[in-house]
Amino acid sequence: MRLGLALGYWGRGPDPRHLELAREAERLGYDSVWTAEAWGSDAFTALTWIAAHTSRIKLGTGIAQMAARTPTATAMHALTLDHLSGGRMLLGLGLSGPQVVEGWYGRPFPKSPLTATREYVAAIRQVLAREGPVTVDGRFHPLPYQGPDGTGLGKPLKPITHPLRADLPVLLGAEGPRNIAQTTRIADGWLPLYWSPTRPEVYREPLADAPDGFLIAPMARAVVCDDVAEGLMPVKAMLGFYIGGMGHAAKNFHADLMARMGFEEEARRVQRLFLEGRKEEAVLAVPDAFADEISLVGPRERIAERLELWRAGPVTDLLVTAPDPQTLRVLADLNT
């Protein structure tokens, strides 16, 4: 199991620790570093900055939002950074949810998310293959555009720049069982939002047909500390925000996922409290047991024991959100 560093997206401003952590991760032999985006900082610019200050570590978007860019624009970002970094790019993509897609990007959330994802990936694959002009006879991402408000003058184009790698890895952040199953067919890997090494049955069926070499790269908060309850508070805060705030009461993929993982009653309570404006109560209502399952928190000995559970399963890459270089060093030492 390889280790990666997940830096996420910025808060109010750039985190001055991110570059230091990325360079330390590279020095320690971490395989990859990942950036993200929500509705603030973008994933590609921060990753490019890290690329310029490193030389070996792979560079992943975890995740870049599909609604933020057309598939060809995303492919341009990926092939450009792949060239500039000497072939280190990993393209992680996600659909996001209706609140972000419609509220931030001003686009309709696709009524058939699986179809929209398939079309998006198909267009990117064509750009990277550069075997001919890019065409997609699609419902959501048609190329050329054929809509009634178009000019009719669009023509299929082939990228001017020759991509460095036609097989640049594409990974998808999928949550629902059907979406995960499709990911095993159209992508090179999967970026789970939550992964519990003690509940392999949750994903067994959707992953049943995953091909050899398929990447499974979940993210997990990791921190070496004496007080487990205190160390879990950032995990609970993240869960409270995602389960309560990253979605609508009637459609919240993150809450649905927590429910499928055995915490349905707790998920609905967290969601209800958050939507009522009782955010602190929502965070405290996140079960410690769930937060603990999906993270690596506590003294070194406890982390060593729990890390073995992750190593024993199908996870190929553990992407850790670690707040300090010491935690990165401990994990690197334990994973040897």
Side-chain angles (χ1 to χ4, degrees):
M1 185 180 70
R2 295 176 292 263
L3 292 177
L5 170 64
L7 295 173
Y9 44 78
W10 296 351
R12 295 182 64 177
D15 191 325
R17 301 171 301 170
H18 279 184
L19 184 56
E20 174 194 354
L21 289 171
R23 297 178 74 171
E24 179 66 3
E26 179 172 70
R27 189 188 70 79
L28 292 168
Y30 278 60
D31 187 70
S32 57
V33 58
W34 300 73
T35 57
E37 59 191 12
W39 48 90
S41 60
D42 79 279
F44 287 100
T45 307
L47 200 61
T48 303
W49 182 253
I50 292 169
H53 291 83
T54 56
S55 59
R56 179 200 58 80
I57 198 165
K58 295 173 186 171
L59 307 154
T61 53
I63 59 174
Q65 296 176 332
M66 297 185 206
R69 307 162 189 87
T70 65
T72 46
T74 295
M76 289 167 64
H77 276 293
L79 74 84
T80 301
L81 184 48
D82 202 43
H83 269 292
L84 292 175
S85 66
R88 293 189 278 153
M89 181 71 201
L90 299 165
L91 181 59
L93 302 169
L95 200 57
S96 193
Q99 281 196 324
V100 176
V101 172
E102 298 183 1
W104 183 247
Y105 294 115
R107 303 183 59 188
F109 187 78
K111 289 183 170 58
S112 178
L114 272 69
T115 301
T117 299
R118 258 195 327 273
E119 293 177 11
Y120 202 99
V121 173
I124 289 173
R125 297 286 200 197
Q126 288 188 51
V127 173
L128 296 175
R130 202 179 179 273
E131 294 175 346
V134 179
T135 60
V136 177
D137 183 15
R139 173 182 172 189
F140 299 99
H141 303 288
L143 287 170
Y145 180 71
Q146 303 286 350
D149 56 343
T151 65
L153 301 177
K155 58 177 288 187
L157 298 171
K158 186 163 66 171
I160 297 171
T161 304
H162 292 230
L164 184 65
R165 292 182 296 163
D167 59 351
L168 187 156
V170 176
L171 298 89
L172 296 177
E175 293 183 43
R178 293 175 59 227
N179 201 351
I180 296 168
Q182 174 176 268
T183 298
T184 66
R185 297 191 295 270
I186 68 172
D188 303 295
W190 173 44
L191 295 164
L193 180 61
Y194 315 136
W195 178 279
S196 170
T198 61
R199 299 175 189 267
E201 70 280 358
V202 173
Y203 297 122
R204 182 176 290 123
E205 186 174 344
L207 291 173
D209 296 326
D212 291 342
F214 186 77
L215 304 176
I216 300 176
M219 299 184 188
R221 169 82 173 184
V223 60
V224 178
C225 61
D226 295 325
D227 190 329
V228 174
E230 181 181 341
L232 287 175
M233 282 307 297
V235 184
K236 295 178 65 166
M238 176 273 294
L239 288 169
F241 175 64
Y242 272 73
I243 293 163
M246 293 283 275
H248 188 268
K251 187 182 284 290
N252 185 312
F253 303 130
H254 312 308
D256 293 345
L257 174 57
M258 181 177 171
R260 287 196 300 275
M261 295 180 75
F263 295 89
E264 181 168 9
E265 183 178 340
E266 295 89 340
R268 303 311 171 196
R269 173 172 166 74
V270 171
Q271 188 179 24
R272 184 177 67 255
L273 288 169
F274 198 98
L275 293 175
E276 290 174 356
R278 300 155 67 184
K279 297 180 181 180
E280 291 185 8
E281 291 180 65
V283 170
L284 294 176
V286 174
D288 283 5
F290 181 57
D292 199 24
E293 282 185 27
I294 64 172
S295 58
L296 287 161
V297 173
R300 178 188 173 103
E301 297 74 20
R302 186 176 194 267
I303 289 179
E305 180 180 335
R306 298 175 71 82
L307 187 63
E308 288 306 310
L309 297 174
W310 293 79
R311 288 160 60 97
V315 171
T316 61
D317 298 80
L318 176 58
L319 313 183
V320 297
T321 59
D324 61 274
Q326 173 61 17
T327 295
L328 292 180
R329 288 191 284 270
V330 168
L331 285 169
D333 184 47
L334 292 176
N335 197 53
T336 55

